[in-house]
Amino acid sequence: MADTAETADIAHVADIADIADTIHAVDAAAVMRLLPARPRLLALGEPTHGEDTLLDLRNGLFRQLVEEEGYRTIAIESDCVRGLIVDEYVTSGAGTLDEVMERGISHGWGEFAGNRELVRWMREFNDGRPASDRLRFAGFDGPLEITGAASPREALMALHGYLSDRVDPNLLPCTLETLDRLLGADDRWTDPAAMRDPARSVGRSAEARRLRLLADDMEALVDAQTPQLLAASSRDDWERACLYGRTATGLLRYHHWMADPSPARMTRLVSARDQMMAHNLLAVAARGPALVHAQNSHLQREKSTMRMWQGPVEWWSAGALASARLGDEYAFVATALGTIRHQGVDAPPPDTVEGLLYALPEDRCVVDARRLAAALGDVPPTPRVSPWFGYATLDPAHLAGSDGLVFVKDVGPGR
C-alpha cells in the first residue's frame, strides 16, 4: 500500500489536472485573462536576481504589454535617482548605452545582458515617436544597498535647485550653503560599518535632525506651490522634483533608523526601504499602466519575512502597501522555479508546489494561483527548502494572495 505522503502527492497531481484549463504559455494575453481588468501596476515577481532566463521572460512580456495592452512604463528594483539617467536615454537618446548601463542601474545589475537588451529595445522603440507615446523607465528602489545607504546630498541639492529657480527665495527654508554645511562629507553617511553598528551612523546627529526638517519643508513647498511650478516648468520636471523630495525624506528616515540601537532596528530599516519603494510605485501608477519587476518579497500582498543577523524580521512589502492603496488596479504575479543547476538547485521534491508543477510537460507556464490554491486544499504542500541563499522559494501559503503564478522549469546559466 502507498504511504500517506505518496497518496497525497497523487491527489495533488490530480487536483492540478483538474485546473489544466488555467495553465497556459506565458504571454500577456494569458496573464490578462486572470485579471478582472487591466491594472495600473502589473507586478511580476522573481525568486532570484540576475538570471537571463527570467530577464528575457520579463522583456518579452513587457514588449507584448506595450504592443497589445498599451503599457508604456517599466519599473525595476533599482535606484530611483539613477533610473532618471536611463529614462533620459530611452526617451531622448542622451548619452550612450554603455554609459547608461554603468551609471543608471544600481546593484551592479547594469551588467546583466537582459537589462541591457531591455534598455536598447526601449530606445529603439521610442526613436521617432511623439513624446506622448514613448516608453518610460523607472527605478523604484531607494538609493540603498544591503550594506548601507547613500548620502542624501544629491536629492537635497537637486530639490533645492529646482525650487530656488522657480519660487520666491523668501519661501525657501534655507540656503544651499546651509545644506552643504549640514551634510558635511558624504563618507560620513555611507560608512558601511554603520549597517551593523548603530553608533557609527550619523542619522541621529544634530545635523541630520535639522536636515530632516529642511527636507520636509522643501517637499511641502513643492506641494504647496504646484500650480506655479507646473506653469514655470514641465510636468516631467515637477515629477522629478517630487521624486527628489520623497527620496531625501526617505533617506534621512532610513539613516535615522540606522542609528537606532533597539531590537526593532532591522524591522524599521526594511520597512523604511519598502515604504520608499511603495511611494515610487504610486508615482509610477499615476503616470499610467506599468509593468513592475522585482523580487517576489517586495511585491507580494502578504507580510514579507527574512532572517538577518539580528534574527527574523517581518514587514509589509512595497506591493502590499501599493495594493492597499490601489485595490484592483494592482495585480501581482509571482514566479517560481524548478531548477537552477548552475547554482546547485536541482529538481524540486514532488510534495512541493514547485515539484507538482515540475511534473507538468510545459517548460514555462502561467497558472491561476487562486484556483491552484483552492485545488490543493486547506493543507498546503510542503514548503521547498533552497540549498542556495540567492533563491527564495515559493511560500505555498501565499498562493491565494497572488493573481497568477509563472512557473519556469529550468533556469540555465546566463550569457
Side-chain angles (χ1 to χ4, degrees), residues 28-43:
V31 172
M32 288 298 171
R33 281 195 294 270
L34 299 175
L35 309 175
R38 184 183 72 169
R40 294 184 74 83
L41 291 182
L42 173 55

Side-chain angles (χ1 to χ4, degrees), residues 57-70:
L57 183 149
R58 175 204 66 188
N59 292 353
L61 183 61
F62 181 56
R63 291 189 189 109
Q64 292 172 353
L65 290 168
V66 167
E67 294 164 357
E68 301 169 15
E69 299 291 339

Side-chain angles (χ1 to χ4, degrees), residues 132-175:
S132 60
D133 195 37
R134 290 174 192 158
L135 304 182
R136 303 293 300 270
F137 178 94
F140 74 95
D141 200 353
L144 307 169
E145 297 284 353
I146 194 64
T147 55
S151 163
R153 173 181 296 277
E154 182 176 4
L156 283 169
M157 293 296 198
L159 179 60
H160 190 282
Y162 174 82
L163 287 167
S164 63
D165 289 342
R166 296 170 177 88
V167 302
D168 181 344
N170 293 317
L171 294 176
L172 289 168
C174 68
T175 65

Side-chain angles (χ1 to χ4, degrees), residues 65-182:
L65 290 168
V66 167
E67 294 164 357
E68 301 169 15
E69 299 291 339
Y71 279 64
R72 286 296 181 267
T73 300
I74 187 167
I76 73 169
E77 187 184 336
S78 181
D79 182 333
C80 59
V81 174
R82 291 174 64 174
L84 296 172
I85 298 171
V86 184
D87 188 54
E88 182 70 16
Y89 173 76
V90 300
T91 55
S92 72
T96 68
L97 182 58
D98 286 341
E99 292 169 348
V100 166
M101 298 312 295
E102 180 180 356
R103 297 174 50 234
I105 297 180
S106 61
H107 311 316
W109 296 342
E111 299 177 3
F112 297 155
N115 285 336
R116 185 182 182 89
E117 174 58 22
L118 170 70
V119 174
R120 185 205 63 76
W121 177 79
M122 291 177 72
R123 176 63 205 136
E124 183 180 276
F125 181 94
N126 282 341
D127 191 26
R129 288 181 181 267
S132 60
D133 195 37
R134 290 174 192 158
L135 304 182
R136 303 293 300 270
F137 178 94
F140 74 95
D141 200 353
L144 307 169
E145 297 284 353
I146 194 64
T147 55
S151 163
R153 173 181 296 277
E154 182 176 4
L156 283 169
M157 293 296 198
L159 179 60
H160 190 282
Y162 174 82
L163 287 167
S164 63
D165 289 342
R166 296 170 177 88
V167 302
D168 181 344
N170 293 317
L171 294 176
L172 289 168
C174 68
T175 65
L176 201 62
E177 292 72 24
T178 297
L179 279 183
D180 184 63
R181 175 177 57 79
L182 292 171

Side-chain angles (χ1 to χ4, degrees), residues 266-327:
M266 290 311 302
T267 298
R268 292 281 196 179
L269 287 176
V270 294
S271 296
R273 180 187 180 192
D274 270 76
Q275 188 177 22
M276 291 178 71
M277 286 182 165
H279 290 163
N280 286 330
L281 285 181
L282 292 172
V284 167
R287 184 185 293 166
L291 177 68
V292 180
H293 190 242
Q295 221 278 348
N296 284 327
S297 64
H298 288 306
L299 300 176
Q300 67 191 32
R301 291 186 175 93
E302 298 81 8
K303 267 195 169 181
S304 299
T305 60
M306 179 169 54
R307 178 166 291 278
M308 304 191 75
W309 57 86
Q310 288 187 332
V313 296
E314 63 175 25
W315 72 101
W316 290 109
S317 75
L321 297 173
S323 178
R325 296 285 190 91
L326 295 174

